[in-house]
């Protein structure tokens, strides 16, 4: 067999050179893309990844600002301690109850409001704006507002119920464990419903009108249309609402801090409040960061469960 | 396949073109300009030799042209306008010192100062509460002022319990801002209307009188406490248990409130009964802080109150109180009718450990918490005359101006008598004190709302103490 040199095969050489150039261009393009993204990557690493990593690193240390001399690496000791700590377990329980109640209420109320606001009626624009109003109120202000409403001496709720003859004397709404927890749930729900309404309204707007027409042709009633058209199409927005509101509920701090301070006793001492207290009041950065990581882990697990259970139900492409 | 990204052609720079050499030159020059003040600061430009007496030096303005030292000073925001007024006077007397004063929201004070120390932006001089004084010393935030001029003289003239509150492991760290105690006060007009001639001496009498006031329809609840969860201590609770002679810890700082000494338990049981059965304690106490209870008392809603003694001035001031002229002070009632004391506290001025202007900062805190050139605790007296704040200097109790002022709003004898047997909280100098107080408040709220028993509270207090001691390596 006669060996033909590359030089004698111009087609081959050209092809090889083109391949080489393409490969080098591809590499160069990738590099160029990384260079372009570098500033953003640096910012993300510096402002997000580093604090998260550093926070985890601190959670592995005994680190109380009041006793810097005791600073040392303790591994998972902080996690072991808080998982057997009565205060932590109680705050976890309170957080779970608070989240269950508030997320359920938010879902029901936001879906109801979204369905109502999706209908055509006079003044719908104004109503949509009004519904959004609570969302504009910061958590601390929200807490202060509700603390005045629930105030045992001069509260608006007491005034209203008393003037309607429903109570014979002013009540201490924030002094009983049950009513204080319900008051905290209510204040939180009031603040968070608008955001969920927006998401669900957007979801409702994307449902094709023909589906409702077809359902009507099939003589489906309102309930059937809701169950078989609206709800399946809203599964993804609902999933988003579920995930975000569960995270919000687990991380809620400001409203409760102002409204009840976690009391009476530990009745409203949610896990985020205990975290802030541990870090800022007790200056225990080691244990406080361990608390924060436990919150993160819980919300992550819940989100994964939500996604696995609900995501496929809302997929119509598969 | 073409290029994925089209490279932009080289274009003219928008700014004036600069060569690399020029750029480096400019950069170095800029760096030099920025470094000069930094180096000056590192050298401690304000450091000056310690004067023989801070008060004497305060009267000797620096020679003209002398460098002005800046002292950063921070405190919680009690009457910041008055503080500034007093600091202005200090700066007039000490033209070589400029004070940069920052008032900080009181409820966030501890957190903000801790954050500043952590970030290295702490002030040179600052207010410190006895609640977290020891914790801040062990954290390395504060420096002792041993050997500083005039210190022995000042400490020799203040009450022992105040001196002890500013001393840690034998070293003195602060000078007193103010010191006060919990006082028991009553609305004399309401008591008179109910036919009550004397204020109560025992908790039993208080309960009886309370029932009378209620049945006469004069008040819905005769007394309330500031039992909302807070970063501060529940002073009314401490005042009440110390009036009955409670001891929560023994000399080895071992908890005894659940074993040997049950006074605190009995007092808590009395409050719980008052809230849930007899109805003489306002159940809304759990939602109220001390300030709100005081405001309600001054509006005539309650007949009795435990509050800071300096509030007597406000209570009988017609501009600030609806019951001015009707508020009288009595010894805090106790379980057996014999008052055994009350709780007292000390707020102080301290220096941060890293201050570069120690002498100037010390001159400032000596002006605020020490003596002037004539040996008078000027600022302590000034605070009393302005706002009735209590003082740590013994001699002020006999000062004619102060006694004259006292008579306008309180009986001076009761005022002084209650102070004689005041005590600091037994464990206030433990670094774990504030955590312990905070956890106890939750326990007590649980008992007051009948979620747990008062015995459980005492056991919980003891367990918390042991837990925190262990956590702090004690």
């Amino acid at each position: 067999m006669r060996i033909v040199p590359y030089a004698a095969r111009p087609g081959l050489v050209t092809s090889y050179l083109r391949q080489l150039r393409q490969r080098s261009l591809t590499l160069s393009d990738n590099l160029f893309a990384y260079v372009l993204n570098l500033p953003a990557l640096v910012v993300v690493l510096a402002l997000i990844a580093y604090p998260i990593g550093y926070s985890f690193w601190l959670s592995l240390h005994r680190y109380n600002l009041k006793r810097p001399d005791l600073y040392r690496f303790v591994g998972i000791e902080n996690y072991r301690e808080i998982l057997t700590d009565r205060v932590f377990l109680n705050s976890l329980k309170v957080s779970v109850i608070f989240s269950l109640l508030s997320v359920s209420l938010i879902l029901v109320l936001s879906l109801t409001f979204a369905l109502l606001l999706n209908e055509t009626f006079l003044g719908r624009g104004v109503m949509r704006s009004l519904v959004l109003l609570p969302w504009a109120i910061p958590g601390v202000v929200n807490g202060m507002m509700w603390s005045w409403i629930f105030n045992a001496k001069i509260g608006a709720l007491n005034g209203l119920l008393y003037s309607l003859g429903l109570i014979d004397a002013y009540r201490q709404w924030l002094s009983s464990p049950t009513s204080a927890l319900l008051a905290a749930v209510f204040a939180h729900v009031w603040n968070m419903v608008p955001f969920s309404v927006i998401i669900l309204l957007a979801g409702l707007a994307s449902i094709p009108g023909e589906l409702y027409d077809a359902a009507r042709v099939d003589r489906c009633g309102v309930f059937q249309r809701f169950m078989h058209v609206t709800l399946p199409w809203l599964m993804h927005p609902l999933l988003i609402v579920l995930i975000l509101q569960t995270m919000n509920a687990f991380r809620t701090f400001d409203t409760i801090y102002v409204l009840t301070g976690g009391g009476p006793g530990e009745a409203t001492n949610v896990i985020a409040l205990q975290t802030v207290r541990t870090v800022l009041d007790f200056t225990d950065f080691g244990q406080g960061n361990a608390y924060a990581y436990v919150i993160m882990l819980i919300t992550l697990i819940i989100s994964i469960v939500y996604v696995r259970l609900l995501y496929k139900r809302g997929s119509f492409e598969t | 396949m073409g290029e994925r990204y089209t490279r932009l052609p080289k274009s003219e720079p928008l700014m004036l073109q600069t060569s690399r050499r020029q750029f480096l030159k400019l950069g170095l020059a800029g760096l030099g300009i920025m470094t000069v003040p930094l180096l000056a600061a590192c050298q401690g430009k304000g450091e000056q030799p310690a004067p023989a007496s801070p008060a004497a030096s305060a009267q000797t303005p620096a020679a003209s042209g002398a460098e002005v030292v800046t002292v950063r000073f921070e405190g919680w925001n009690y009457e910041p306008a008055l503080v500034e007024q007093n600091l202005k006077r200090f700066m007039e007397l000490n033209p070589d010192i400029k004070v940069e004063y920052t008032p900080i929201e009181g409820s966030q004070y501890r957190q903000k100062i801790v954050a500043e120390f952590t970030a290295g932006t702490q002030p040179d001089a600052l207010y410190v509460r006895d609640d977290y004084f020891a914790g801040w010393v062990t954290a390395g935030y504060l420096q002792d002022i041993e050997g500083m001029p005039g210190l022995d003289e000042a400490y020799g003239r203040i009450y022992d319990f105040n001196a002890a509150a500013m001393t840690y492991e034998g070293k003195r760290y602060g000078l007193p801002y103010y010191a006060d105690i919990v006082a028991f006060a009553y609305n004399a007009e309401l008591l008179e209307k109910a036919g009550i001639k004397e204020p109560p001496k025992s908790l039993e009498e208080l309960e009886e009188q309370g029932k009378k006031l209620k049945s006469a329809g004069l008040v819905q609840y005769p007394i309330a406490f500031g039992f909302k969860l807070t970063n501060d201590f529940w002073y009314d609770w401490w005042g009440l248990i110390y009036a009955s002679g409670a001891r929560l810890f023994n000399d080895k700082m071992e908890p005894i409130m659940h074993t040997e000494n049950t006074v605190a338990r009995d007092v808590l049981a009395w409050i719980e009964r008052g809230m849930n059965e007899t109805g003489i304690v306002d159940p809304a106490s759990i939602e109220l802080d001390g300030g709100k209870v005081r405001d309600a008392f001054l509006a005539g809603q309650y007949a009795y109150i435990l509050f800071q003694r300096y509030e007597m001035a406000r209570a009988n001031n017609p501009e600030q109180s609806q019951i001015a002229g009707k508020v009288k002070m009595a010894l805090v009632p106790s379980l057996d009718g014999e008052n055994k004391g009350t709780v007292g506290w000390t707020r102080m001025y301290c220096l941060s450990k890293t201050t570069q202007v120690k002498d100037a900062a010390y001159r400032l805190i000596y002006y605020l918490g020490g003596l002037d050139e004539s040996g008078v605790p000027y600022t302590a007296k000034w605070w009393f005359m302005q706002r009735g704040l209590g003082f740590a200097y013994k001699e002020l109790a006999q000062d004619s101006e102060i006694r004259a002022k006292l008579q306008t709003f309180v009986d001076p004898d009761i005022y002084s008598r209650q102070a004689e047997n005041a005590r600091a909280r037994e464990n206030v100098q433990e670094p774990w004190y504030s955590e312990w107080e905070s956890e106890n408040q939750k326990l007590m709220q649980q008992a007051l709302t009948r979620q747990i028993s008062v015995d459980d509270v005492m056991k919980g207090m003891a367990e918390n103490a042991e837990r925190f001691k262990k956590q702090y390596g004690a």
Side-chain angles (χ1 to χ4, degrees):
Chain A
M1 186 180 163
R2 191 169 154 248
I3 296 167
V4 183
Y6 275 118
R9 294 189 296 171
L12 260 180
V13 171
T14 315
S15 156
Y16 178 70
L17 282 175
R18 193 182 295 131
Q19 275 178 12
L20 259 184
R21 202 174 65 188
Q22 275 180 355
R23 199 177 298 158
S24 79
L25 271 176
T26 310
L27 280 175
S28 161
D29 285 350
N30 283 339
L31 198 65
F32 188 57
Y34 273 110
V35 169
L36 285 179
N37 279 302
L38 196 61
L41 281 173
V42 168
V43 170
V44 168
L45 285 173
L47 298 180
I48 299 172
Y50 174 73
I52 289 175
Y54 186 58
S55 163
F56 180 66
W57 181 242
L58 285 182
S59 76
L60 303 177
H61 288 78
R62 171 83 64 226
Y63 183 33
N64 190 320
L65 294 184
K66 275 192 269 182
R67 292 307 297 264
D69 53 317
L70 295 179
Y71 177 82
R72 66 177 194 278
F73 182 80
V74 291
I76 58 164
E77 185 65 17
N78 283 325
Y79 291 93
R80 200 190 58 78
E81 266 178 26
I82 63 172
L83 289 174
T84 53
D85 181 21
R86 187 193 57 79
V87 176
F88 169 78
L89 294 175
N90 180 73
S91 63
L92 189 61
K93 188 180 90 183
V94 173
S95 278
V96 169
I97 296 171
F98 177 84
S99 303
L100 277 173
L101 288 174
S102 55
V103 173
S104 314
L105 266 174
I106 288 170
L107 271 182
V108 172
L109 289 174
S110 57
L111 190 57
T112 309
F113 284 129
L115 288 170
L116 284 173
L117 292 172
N118 198 43
E119 297 299 314
T120 310
F121 58 90
L122 187 69
R124 185 173 75 159
V126 178
M127 282 301 289
R128 282 185 172 185
S129 308
L130 283 176
V131 164
L132 288 181
L133 210 59
W135 194 38
I137 294 177
V140 172
V141 181
N142 185 45
M144 287 173 79
M145 186 184 79
W146 284 101
S147 73
W148 283 112
I149 291 172
F150 291 125
N151 190 291
K153 298 278 168 200
I154 50 164
L157 181 64
N158 270 323
L160 178 72
L161 296 177
Y162 188 79
S163 57
L164 291 173
L166 296 173
I167 52 172
D168 51 0
Y170 277 28
R171 300 281 167 88
Q172 293 81 35
W173 303 107
L174 303 177
S175 297
S176 138
T178 311
S179 60
L181 183 66
L182 291 176
V185 167
F186 198 79
H188 175 74
V189 168
W190 188 82
N191 199 208
M192 288 295 150
V193 159
F195 177 65
S196 305
V197 172
I198 296 171
I199 294 174
L200 296 181
L201 265 176
L204 285 171
S206 69
I207 301 176
E210 310 89 72
L211 293 178
Y212 288 109
D213 296 338
R216 281 193 194 94
V217 169
D218 288 343
R219 306 179 72 85
C220 289
V222 174
F223 182 71
Q224 284 172 312
R225 285 204 300 274
F226 173 75
M227 290 303 290
H228 299 292
V229 179
T230 311
L231 203 55
W233 274 84
L234 272 186
M235 214 41 102
H236 281 175
L238 278 172
L239 179 65
I240 293 167
V241 168
L242 259 179
I243 292 174
L244 292 180
Q245 293 301 352
T246 308
M247 283 179 175
N248 270 338
F250 260 96
R251 293 179 312 177
T252 290
F253 153 72
D254 39 14
T255 300
I256 297 178
Y257 179 74
V258 176
L259 187 65
T260 63
E266 293 181 345
T268 56
N269 190 36
V270 288
I271 196 167
L273 194 61
Q274 189 58 31
T275 306
V276 172
R277 188 171 280 142
T278 307
V279 174
L280 292 180
D281 291 351
F282 304 168
T283 61
D284 191 339
F285 276 53
Q287 207 163 73
N289 279 296
Y291 269 109
Y293 262 86
V294 170
I295 298 177
M296 194 189 79
L297 200 66
I298 290 169
T299 48
L300 188 70
I301 290 169
I302 292 171
S303 305
I304 291 169
V305 169
Y306 281 160
V307 171
R308 288 189 69 88
L309 287 179
L310 301 175
Y311 195 75
K312 278 193 176 173
R313 293 192 184 187
S315 296
F316 300 103
E317 292 81 15
T318 53
Chain B
M1 199 174 164
E3 284 186 7
R4 270 194 222 155
Y5 306 109
T6 310
R7 287 197 176 84
L8 293 169
K10 272 190 179 178
S11 59
E12 288 297 315
L14 291 171
M15 302 204 38
L16 201 64
Q17 278 198 334
T18 311
S19 72
R20 190 162 55 181
R21 184 169 293 180
Q22 279 173 319
F23 176 78
L24 285 172
K25 272 184 189 172
L26 281 170
L28 283 172
L31 198 66
I33 289 166
M34 286 191 294
T35 314
V36 170
L38 196 67
L39 289 173
C42 292
Q43 280 176 326
K45 62 176 180 175
E47 202 61 18
Q48 290 175 354
S53 153
S57 105
Q59 296 304 307
T60 314
S64 97
E67 201 173 8
V68 174
V69 181
T70 300
V71 176
R72 290 182 60 229
F73 176 51
E74 291 182 2
W76 52 84
N77 59 345
Y78 177 74
E79 299 285 5
L82 280 178
V83 176
E84 275 176 12
Q85 184 188 323
N86 195 29
L87 291 175
K88 196 177 161 198
R89 181 177 180 271
F90 170 76
M91 286 188 277
E92 281 166 8
L93 291 170
N94 297 270
D96 57 330
I97 298 176
K98 183 186 169 206
V99 182
E100 279 180 4
Y101 165 62
T102 309
I104 293 173
E105 164 58 34
S107 60
Q108 295 295 312
Y109 184 73
R110 183 172 59 176
Q111 291 92 326
K112 286 199 173 167
I113 292 290
V114 167
E116 286 185 356
F117 272 102
T118 308
T121 56
Q122 65 274 22
D124 299 303
L126 66 159
Y127 289 13
V128 178
R129 289 169 189 249
D130 49 4
D131 303 45
Y132 39 76
F133 162 71
W136 286 8
V137 171
T138 55
Y141 294 173
L142 309 177
Q143 67 172 294
D144 69 77
I145 49 176
E146 287 296 334
M148 296 303 279
L151 189 67
D152 291 337
E153 197 189 349
Y155 265 68
R157 289 157 72 168
I158 59 182
Y159 291 106
D160 289 345
F161 106 83
N162 297 128
M166 299 184 293
T167 306
Y168 189 76
E169 293 184 343
K171 287 187 176 169
R172 294 169 291 184
Y173 284 80
L175 284 160
Y177 160 30
Y178 82 92
D180 222 322
I181 60 168
V182 160
F184 177 71
Y186 60 97
N187 183 333
E189 189 184 55
L190 284 178
L191 266 63
E192 201 180 312
K193 279 184 186 168
I196 300 165
K197 292 193 175 95
E198 291 285 322
K201 286 190 174 62
S202 67
L203 294 180
E204 199 183 333
E205 278 178 35
L206 178 55
E207 192 172 310
E208 288 309 313
Q209 291 188 8
K211 284 177 186 168
K212 265 190 188 175
L213 287 157
K214 263 178 88 83
S215 58
L218 293 165
V219 282
Q220 190 183 2
Y221 298 107
I223 191 168
F225 297 94
F227 283 169
K228 185 180 181 178
L229 298 179
T230 166
N231 286 332
D232 208 345
F233 76 116
W234 282 359
Y235 50 79
D236 33 11
W237 155 254
W238 282 92
L240 211 54
I241 62 169
Y242 276 11
S244 295
R247 283 200 70 196
L248 306 181
F249 295 89
N250 64 17
D251 295 337
K252 291 177 191 163
M253 203 44 70
E254 291 163 343
I256 55 168
M257 76 288 282
H258 61 311
T259 52
E260 293 168 36
N261 192 312
T262 58
V263 172
R265 182 219 168 274
D266 296 341
V267 172
L268 185 60
W270 180 86
I271 299 172
E272 189 273 314
R273 209 172 52 249
M275 200 174 270
N276 296 303
E277 288 173 25
T278 59
I280 68 150
V281 179
D282 190 347
S285 296
I286 284 168
E287 300 173 35
L288 305 171
D289 58 28
K292 287 211 173 86
V293 173
R294 177 204 60 206
D295 292 343
F297 174 74
L298 300 187
Q301 288 184 24
Y302 302 120
Y304 310 98
I305 190 171
L306 282 139
F307 60 8
Q308 298 96 332
R309 187 181 54 170
Y310 65 77
E311 294 287 14
M312 284 300 297
R314 181 199 292 256
N316 282 317
N317 180 349
E319 286 174 12
Q320 295 177 299
S321 163
Q322 292 176 38
I323 52 169
K326 298 164 191 164
V327 183
K328 290 188 176 170
M329 183 177 155
L331 296 177
V332 182
S334 63
L335 285 168
D336 62 5
E338 187 196 338
N339 176 277
K340 296 176 184 70
T342 185
V343 71
W345 59 90
T346 310
R347 308 297 188 229
M348 64 196 97
Y349 304 104
C350 292
L351 299 185
S352 74
K353 196 162 195 170
T354 53
T355 177
Q356 299 292 311
V357 290
K358 181 177 177 181
D359 293 315
Y362 180 74
R363 276 163 67 191
L364 170 67
I365 67 167
Y366 199 83
Y367 168 81
L368 296 170
L371 310 166
D372 67 9
E373 77 285 356
S374 55
V376 173
Y378 168 80
T379 305
K381 183 177 174 180
W382 178 81
W383 268 121
F384 177 82
M385 300 305 283
Q386 293 290 332
R387 287 292 178 269
L389 293 193
F391 36 80
Y393 288 93
K394 297 175 206 167
E395 69 213 51
L396 291 182
Q398 304 309 321
D399 183 282
S400 57
E401 273 185 90
I402 284 180
R403 283 190 76 82
K405 175 87 176 173
L406 268 177
Q407 273 166 351
T408 62
F409 61 84
V410 70
D411 175 355
D413 292 331
I414 290 281
Y415 185 90
S416 308
R417 212 171 122 201
Q418 184 67 89
E420 280 162 17
N421 51 8
R423 287 196 279 156
R425 284 151 285 166
E426 295 146 82
N427 58 339
V428 75
Q429 287 216 332
E430 297 299 323
W432 44 268
Y433 166 75
S434 44
E435 282 93 322
W436 185 76
E437 171 78 33
S438 183
E439 289 301 313
N440 290 349
Q441 290 179 4
K442 291 198 275 183
L443 284 172
M444 283 194 274
Q445 277 200 345
Q446 285 177 308
L448 297 174
T449 50
R450 294 197 157 169
Q451 298 174 62
I452 58 173
S453 72
V454 288
D455 288 316
D456 290 339
V457 175
M458 296 302 136
K459 277 183 210 156
M461 281 184 179
E463 281 168 15
N464 284 339
E466 295 298 355
R467 180 162 62 96
F468 288 124
K469 273 158 78 173
K470 197 175 149 196
Q471 223 171 63
Y472 276 81

